[in-house]
Every structure is written in C-alpha cells, then in structure tokens.
Amino acid sequence: MDYLPIFTKLENRPCLVVGGGDIAFRKVHLLLKANADVTVCAPEIDSRLLQKEKDQQLKIIRQNFSTDLLQGKWLVIAATDKRDVNEQIANAANALQLLVNVVDDPELSSFIMPSIVDRSPIIVAISSAGTAPVLARLIRERLEALLPMHLGRLARISGDFRNRVKEVIGNPSLRRRYWEKLFANGQLGHLLQKGQTANALELMEKTLTEDVTQGDVALVGAGPGDPSLLTLKALQLMQQADVVLYDRLVSADILDLVRRDADLISVGKEAGNHEVEQSRTNQMLVEFAKQGKKVVRLKGGDSFIFGRGGEELEELVAAGVAFQVVPGITAASGCSAYAGIPLTHRDYSQSVTFVTGHRKSDGRQLNWQALAAPHQTLVVYMGLIQSQEIQNQLLSFGRSPDTPVALVNRGTTSDQQVVIGKLSELTLLGGGLQGATLMIIGEVVSLAEKLAWFEPEGNHKLSRDPFLVNLS
Ligand code: SAH
C-alpha cells in the first residue's frame, strides 16, 4: 500500500489553502464541507472565494505565501500554478511535519485527496495513488450509481438505534445477525427512500423480536477459479458467514473475499480418503448450524455437478437444519468459455455429456458405446488418471482416433493452460499437468484455435476481467 487511507476530523481545525483560483476554490469547498477553519492566502482571489469571505465562511490573506502562515495549522494545500512556489510550501510544511497536499503533484505531497462518493456519514474514498485518475473516476461513477442516495439516512438511523439493539440483544454475534437481517430487508431502504422514518423505526423495532438464533447452511458454488465468476449471491453469503468449510478446489483469491472474522476450515479431499472426510464434513455442517452459526459450504464449480452436494443436503434434511443452494459456474462452462471451445455447435456437436472419470468402487461402468458416437461433446471431470481407459474405450467403440481433445488445466485462473491434441494421443497429452484438469473430447475442440481469447493489439475491450470490460 503506497498510501494509508484515513478519515480526519477537521471540524474547527485551522487549515491553509495557498492559491486563489479555481482549483483552490474546489479544495476550499471540500474543507468547508468538513467544517474546517479555512484560511486562504493569495495575492489575487477568485470571486467565489470572495463571496465565501463575505459570508464569513473563511479568512483571506491577500499576500504571497510566507512560512509564518503555517503556524498553528493542521494541514496545508498548495494550489498555486507555480511549481517553485508549491515546492517552497511543501518544503516549509515538511520541515514543520505538517501534512501537505500539492494539487496534481503526488511527488511533492505528503497526502493526496481521493475521489469521494459522499453519502454522509457513509463516505467512500477512491485513490489510484496518482497512477490512473481516469480509472479512479470511472470507479467512482460506478459506486455513485450503485449506492442509493438514502444510504446516509440508513446509516444515521442505525446509529441512533444502536443503543436500543444493545439493550435488547446482549450477544455480539447475534447483534451482528440482527443488523445483517435488517439491512438485507429491502423494505427498510424503501421506507427511507420515501422519507417514512417513523415506519422505518417501527420495522427496526419489530425485527428485534424476531428469532435470529437459528443457524443455517448455504451450499455455495464458487465457480471454477476466477473470483469474478462468483455470483453476487455467493459473495453476499461469504461476507455474512460465521464459518466457511471449503474444498481444495476453491482458489485462494476466492477465499480472500470471505468475511475477515469468519472461521475458515479446509475440508479438502485428498485422493483415497473420501468417505471418512465426507462423513466428518457432514457432521461439522450440522454441528455448526445447531450452534446458531451461519455456515457456508463453499465448493468448486457447482455443488450439484460432481460435487456431492446432494449427499450433504440429505444429511441436513435428516438433522432438520435449514439450508439453501447457490449455483456456481461449473468447470465445463468456465473452462470451455475461457478456452474458446463452445460445448455445442450446430455444425459440430448436437449434444454434450458430462461424465466423471472417478467412480464409486462398485465398478459401475459408463456407457462407452453411447459416448463413442460422433458429433457430440464429452466432458470428463476428474479424468486425467483414467486417460488410458478413456482413450481405449472410446477407440474400441469406434470413435475416430483423430477426434480432437483438449485438456484445460486450472481453467479460468491466471495459470490456465490448454493442451490440444487427438484422441489417439490422449494419454501422452496430460503428462506434465498438475492440479485440476478438465478433458473436452469432440469435434468442437477444433474451434479453439479460432475462438480462444482474442485481444487485437491496442484494443483491450476483451479482458478476463468483466469489470474492466464494462468500463471501456
Ligand atoms: N463441482 C465441480 C467439479 C468437482 S470434481 C464443478 O462443478 O466444476 C473436480 C474436477 O473438476 C477436477 O478434477 C477437474 O476435472 C474439474 N475442475 C474443477 N475446476 C477446474 C478448473 N478450474 N480447471 C479445470 N478443471 C477443473
């Protein structure tokens, strides 16, 4: 972090702005919003600043900068258009260990002023540390659109109600639950938007008497790896969770988005010990929910596609624990999209089948004859160690040895690798690959060359980050 964001209380604190033009005016305007005690110093003064002097909102000293003006100040802003003067101000302020901002000159500044989204008392500050002001502005515009105008009212009314909630709900974690439940209730925002404060208070009071002690489990699909492929609902639940039980497949970038105070428990499965692990996981889900916790069971991809989500839900139903399921983008969708392989295509493939290479030890066989038919796409999860078997079976039931195949390794992450070859060489292709790998077999794989992520030079419209796509 190049800068530490802090929010300073400037009420009645003396601040100096050097400069009397438009830029100085804008900075003065902000300082006055924070109720600072503002002095402006410049030989020539903008008419709007003069008006503010008349209105007794600030003092003006009609002279060039001199060091004695820094006496007793908290901070100083240099807004003159002369670099040597700005430099002189910065040096003098630094000598006195005063915070100084030189407008548009981070090099001379000891603090910089962020872009602001103001929903006081909620304030969002955005800075690119001077590297990309336009990007910072675009982010601000997004947040402006995202954060409703009544947010400030919501924060203020909540502040007024805090003591009442403390009185009624002694337990801090139940208190947090109360606030989460309240803010998740769209009705409250709706009332405040219409200015119906009394009704809003009534709703807050009523929610106090509702039961927030029941825990529950959310089975959340975390997608294939790229955090921006999470659903909004997944993110919301991850940020409300008390406990998160996650699989080995869930990437560190995604875990970073979990609420800081939540307990993170890895229930990663290593090959060979599945059954024991699974029953212990089921047991933990039930126990935590019964302790009144909000539990998130975070799984790679989608929980209902080779994720054993159904088995975990059966346990929860048996134990009478409330649950919900949030779908995720499954590896087949994520990997095919990021590798440029449409899973179906009118000219190449009329159907797609997802199978798993790993099967229960009862030896149930796949229907190889059906899977070997041409003009269909076969996606194999957990297939790498079964490459030999898959290759042999498909060839022996008549699939062409030239059928293209793709191995997508760590799909959608920044380490994604795609290896493309033919069915007849499937066993050789995966040799060097470590980590999650998806196999796509079928004529559609031949499109990868044409449709893989395409970024014409100088045109960054297509990016892995959908956030940036929308900004451009
Ligand atoms: N429920 C998950 C699948 C779990 S099975 C889902 O819906 O995606 C685990 C297998 O999924 C891995 O062995 C691999 O074949 C595939 N897989 C999951 N994430 C992947 C990724 N990012 N890249 C490639 N394959 C992946």
Side-chain angles (χ1 to χ4, degrees), residues 23 105 127 150 152 155 159 162 165 208 214 260 295 322 374 412 443:
I23 295 171
D105 198 336
S127 157
H150 65 261
R162 270 184 80 175
V165 179
L208 270 180
Q214 276 296 319
R260 292 252 170 95
V295 186
T412 78
E443 292 75 5

Side-chain angles (χ1 to χ4, degrees), residues 221 223-226 247-249 299-308 328-335 354-356 379-384 407-413 416-417 435-439:
D226 179 348
D247 278 354
R248 195 169 39 93
L249 268 182
K299 287 168 173 282
D302 181 275
S303 312
F304 281 178
I305 297 181
F306 307 125
R308 307 187 70 172
I329 292 183
T330 189
S333 297
C335 294
F354 297 173
V355 299
T356 168
V379 178
V380 190
Y381 288 71
M382 295 176 277
L384 208 51
L407 297 179
V408 184
N409 177 248
R410 301 174 203 236
T412 78
T413 71
Q416 170 172 301
Q417 280 187 69
T437 304
L438 193 80
M439 212 176 260

Side-chain angles (χ1 to χ4, degrees), residues 34 95 102 109 138 157 219 222 265 276 325 340 343 353 388 396 464:
V102 179
S109 301
L138 290 170
I157 197 174
L219 205 61
I265 300 175
V276 181
V325 182
L343 292 177
T353 310
Q388 186 76 63
S396 72
R464 288 218 167 167

Side-chain angles (χ1 to χ4, degrees), residues 128-159:
S128 65
T131 55
V134 175
L135 183 61
R137 199 196 77 220
L138 290 170
I139 294 170
R140 186 179 70 80
E141 283 169 9
R142 286 209 138 202
L143 291 172
E144 282 284 4
L146 200 69
L147 301 177
M149 295 312 283
H150 65 261
L151 202 61
R153 238 173 288 156
L154 180 63
R156 259 193 304 274
I157 197 174
S158 305

Side-chain angles (χ1 to χ4, degrees), residues 176 256 269:
R176 182 168 52 75
D256 272 351
K269 294 182 193 123

